[in-house]
Each structure stands twice: as C-alpha cells, then as structure tokens.
Amino acid sequence: MRVNAVWMPWPISTVPQLTMTPPVVVAFHGSAMNGKMMANFSGLSAKADQEGFIVVYPNGTGPRDPFLVFNAGEERFPSIERPNDVKFVAALLDD
C-alpha cells in the first residue's frame, strides 16, 4: 500500500471459512522489527484461526529492514521521511 508516496507493505493472517465480517486486530511491531517478525513472535495468527478474527502485521519505515519503526512523534531516523502512520492504518483498514 502506498501512503504519501511511501510504500508500506503488511503481512496478513486470513481466517478460513468466515460467515460474517470478522474483527480485525492490527499488531504493530516494536522498534527494529518488521511485520513478519511480529507475526512469528506474537503467535496471533494461530489465535486468529481459533477465534475467527483477522490479524494484520504492518511494517513501519526506517533506514532498512528489519530496522523499522512507526512514527510515534519522535524523530529516530532524521534522514528518512516520516510517514503519516495514522493515515496508513486508516487506509489499511479501509482496504
């Protein structure tokens, strides 16, 4: 997904055989991680399969993967563009 000209991919866990619109959990990774690492670390995909919800593991931005962060108001990497993560999550949930 492109938000403000910044490509922000995200891994997603899908739930098999849904009969209704499921809840969505957005699992943000910590600093110096990425979405794939968060998926492996959290165990939320297995829980989503058991309980019938969708988990989205967005990637932050940063100088290089896996040294990614979310824009929490601090300037951790002043040399890179600071994307609007609130706008990104809104677009992600609309998608």
Side-chain angles (χ1 to χ4, degrees):
M1 171 178 302
R2 189 167 297 284
V3 177
N4 290 352
V6 176
W7 176 250
M8 301 179 78
W10 69 93
I12 185 169
S13 170
T14 58
V15 182
Q17 302 172 3
L18 292 175
T19 58
M20 59 181 210
T21 303
V24 176
V25 172
V26 181
F28 294 97
H29 63 75
S31 180
M33 291 179 68
N34 61 29
K36 184 177 180 179
M37 292 167 74
M38 183 62 179
N40 293 333
F41 169 78
S42 69
L44 284 171
S45 294
K47 190 67 170 172
D49 290 345
Q50 291 172 356
E51 303 296 332
F53 61 90
I54 293 174
V55 184
V56 181
Y57 302 95
N59 284 330
T61 56
R64 68 183 188 281
D65 196 356
F67 299 103
L68 305 178
V69 297
F70 287 96
N71 182 0
E74 275 184 54
E75 205 167 313
R76 300 210 180 217
F77 302 110
S79 63
I80 66 165
E81 181 180 347
R82 295 176 64 198
N84 184 333
D85 286 334
V86 173
K87 185 175 181 181
F88 165 67
V89 172
L92 183 149
L93 293 174
D94 284 344
D95 195 32

